[in-house]
Every structure is written in C-alpha cells, then in structure tokens.
Amino acid sequence: MANIETINGYSGAKAADKKKKPWFSFSVLFILPSFLLYTLFVIYPTLNSVNLSFTNWDGVSPEVNYIGFDNFIEMWHSDRVHNALKNTLIMSVALVVLENVVAIVLAMMVDQVRWCKNLFRSIFYFPVLLSGIVMGFVWAIIFNFNFGVISQLLDKAGFSSLKLDWLGNPDYAMIAIIVTTVWKGAGYYMIIYLAGLQGIPPELHEAAAIDGANRWQQFRHVTFPLLAGAMTVSVMLSMIGALKIFDQIAVMTDGGPGFATETMTYIVYKVGFGELRQGYGTALSLVLFLLILLVSLIQVKLLRRREVQM
C-alpha cells in the first residue's frame, strides 16, 4: 500500500509540475523574428495572391475589381495556356530523366577515379555555380546560327550544310534549352548520387563479383536499388526545378520562336508584367503552384514506396 501511495504521489507531483508550466516559453522568442519575416514575405503574399487571382488588376492602378472565376475560365479555354502546359510537361519529363541519368553516370565515374577525385568533382559541379542568366547568354552564343561555336566548327570542318538554327527553329529550340539545363544542373545531382554511392558497403560488390556478376549486373542488382534514397531526393528536386524553369528561356528564346518554348512560369511573367494583367498572371501562378504541389506529392508517394520495396 505504501508503495502504491508513493507511486500515486509521485504521479500527482509530476502532473502538478506539468500544470504549473507556463504556456509561453522563452524559446518562442528565438523563432519569432524568422516567423514574422516568413509571414511577411511568404504567407501573406501567398494568401494575397489567392485574392488577386479573382480580380482584373493590372498591377499599376489602385483600383481592384473582382471578376469571380473569369480568369480561370479564360485559362481553361486558352490555347496559349494549353501550349505552355504541354511545353512545361514535356520539358519536365525530359529534364528529370536526362539530369538524373547524366548525374548517375558522372557520380559513378568520379567514384571510380583514384587520383584527383576532388578535381573532377569540382569540374563537374562548376556549372551549378553559374548564374542562370550568365549560363543562358553563354549557350545562346554557342548555339547562334551565324557566329556560334557549333556553326563555326561545322564551317571549318566543311559541313556547313549540317548547320542548324537551334534557337530560331521551333523544332530545335526546346532541345537547346534542355541540353543547356542538363549541362547546368547535372553536377548538383551528381553530388547527391555520389554521397549515396559512398554509402554503399564495398563488400556487397565484392560478394556480387564472387558470384559471377558483371559490372552491369552489379549496378542493376546492387548499386541501383541502394541509390533509391538519393534518387527520391534528386528526382523530386529536378522535377520542381523543371516546372519552375525561367532563366534559360528568358535569355535564350524569350518564349519563342512564336510560343514554342513558352512554359507556365514564363507565361506568368509575360502576362503579368508584359501585358499588365496581374490578376490573370496571379491566377496562372496559383494553378502552377497547385500543379507543382500535386506532382511533388505523387512523386514522394511513389518513390517512397519504391524505397520500401527495395
């Protein structure tokens, strides 16, 4: 009985101590400045954007007129928006596949190097450090039909007939942007995959080699499954980056020729700031936000399931 009373008394004391704790903790003061800044620059603009998407505001005049769902109805029937959405999806799928494939290849190459490993890692990562604007200008010069590097090499080699107007032809402009973006972004994902490769115990490869597995079989049955975690992160980041691509298009093609390379992000910019239709542009950006959120949730669910299965 004494023990039971002691235990009950101890439990009661703990409950009393919990009740005595104040609701306000001084630790809140440490996160309050960041929370206020986040509210001011992220939460409030986001909520205000939802409000503006139901208006015809031009971004300049103080008058704001509510027009209901007219912006979304116009968007639904707009061929330009449909084309931008199609371009966005095509570019996103191409970039996710190519960036991750190139990143895995680069990571495996660097992982196998015995000498100057940090040098090769830095060389492959260097394009990531470049500004998207600077990188776009550089590649615009490389792809230029008249004086670009590719055209000059073909002229000197006697293959002038093979010259292509990469940025002026609707059939090749998107390919040029995809190549440029892969060149810039693959090094970033290479670092993620390289960290995953270095976390794989070498004993697994040795055991597979003893069992008679060649390099491809080792990659398929050992390396690739164990890169599932790194792939989840890389695929998700590359998809989000592809859906938000802007710099390369702005510098290299300006959405052209025609509307061949106009994506959802770029049409938001052109409509909101070029045509002074901030209400319509905000509605487009809201749809883009929901698209990115939906794609990200689906990706995480599918890739996490793949990790569990592997």
Side-chain angles (χ1 to χ4, degrees):
M1 291 292 295
N3 292 334
I4 294 175
E5 291 177 358
T6 303
I7 293 173
N8 290 336
Y10 178 71
S11 302
K14 287 186 67 177
D17 290 340
K18 289 183 178 179
K19 291 181 180 179
K20 290 180 182 179
K21 288 183 179 180
W23 65 271
F24 178 80
S25 175
F26 284 101
S27 60
V28 177
L29 295 177
F30 291 97
I31 65 172
L32 187 60
S34 299
F35 177 75
L36 292 176
L37 290 174
Y38 187 78
T39 302
L40 179 63
F41 293 105
V42 177
I43 297 178
Y44 173 73
T46 301
L47 296 177
N48 192 44
S49 296
V50 177
N51 178 53
L52 290 176
S53 66
F54 296 100
T55 70
N56 63 352
W57 185 47
D58 59 4
V60 179
S61 64
E63 296 182 3
V64 178
N65 299 318
Y66 287 89
I67 57 175
F69 290 91
D70 288 356
N71 287 330
F72 297 94
I73 295 174
E74 179 183 351
M75 191 189 314
W76 181 262
H77 296 287
S78 174
D79 292 336
R80 184 182 179 186
V81 174
H82 296 165
N83 178 70
L85 181 60
K86 181 192 72 173
N87 292 339
T88 301
L89 295 178
I90 292 174
M91 197 172 295
S92 299
V93 173
L95 287 175
V96 168
V97 173
L98 292 176
E99 282 183 333
N100 283 275
V101 170
V102 173
I104 291 175
V105 172
L106 293 178
M108 295 190 68
M109 289 172 57
V110 173
D111 190 53
Q112 296 297 322
V113 172
R114 295 185 179 181
W115 305 98
C116 302
K117 180 177 291 189
N118 291 333
L119 175 61
F120 286 105
R121 185 185 305 176
S122 301
I123 291 173
F124 293 141
Y125 187 77
F126 176 74
V128 181
L129 303 178
L130 294 177
S131 165
I133 300 296
V134 173
M135 182 267 299
F137 276 118
V138 171
W139 278 93
I141 295 173
I142 293 174
F143 283 122
N144 188 276
F145 180 77
N146 296 315
F147 55 83
V149 175
I150 297 177
S151 295
Q152 289 187 10
L153 290 175
L154 290 174
D155 286 336
K156 291 182 178 180
F159 298 105
S160 300
S161 59
L162 299 179
K163 289 169 56 176
L164 297 174
D165 189 4
W166 289 97
L167 302 179
N169 191 322
D171 296 330
Y172 304 120
M174 186 175 292
I175 297 176
I177 292 176
I178 290 173
V179 170
T180 303
T181 308
V182 171
W183 177 83
K184 184 182 188 305
Y188 178 80
Y189 305 110
M190 176 201 71
I191 298 298
I192 299 175
Y193 284 116
L194 187 59
L197 287 173
Q198 293 177 348
I200 299 176
E203 294 82 5
L204 297 178
H205 291 284
E206 294 174 1
I210 293 173
D211 290 338
N214 55 34
R215 286 185 176 273
W216 166 249
Q217 291 172 332
Q218 291 180 36
F219 172 78
R220 180 181 175 184
H221 298 289
V222 178
T223 305
F224 187 71
L226 293 177
L227 285 177
M231 185 170 290
T232 298
V233 176
S234 297
V235 170
M236 185 173 177
L237 291 177
S238 60
M239 176 61 77
I240 294 175
L243 291 172
K244 299 190 302 179
I245 185 172
F246 177 82
D247 296 347
Q248 297 88 316
I249 298 173
V251 173
M252 297 176 67
T253 63
D254 193 29
F259 302 109
T261 58
E262 195 172 62
T263 60
M264 288 295 291
T265 308
Y266 202 69
I267 198 176
V268 168
Y269 162 74
K270 292 290 287 290
V271 168
F273 296 96
E275 302 174 12
L276 294 181
R277 300 182 62 193
Q278 284 286 347
Y280 186 54
T282 304
L284 285 168
S285 65
L286 183 61
V287 171
L288 178 61
F289 166 76
L290 295 176
L291 176 63
I292 294 175
L293 180 62
L294 177 63
V295 171
S296 300
L297 291 176
I298 294 175
Q299 270 191 328
V300 170
K301 185 174 182 179
L302 293 178
L303 293 174
R304 289 295 185 187
R305 183 184 302 172
R306 174 177 174 271
E307 289 184 31
V308 173
Q309 291 175 350
M310 289 186 172

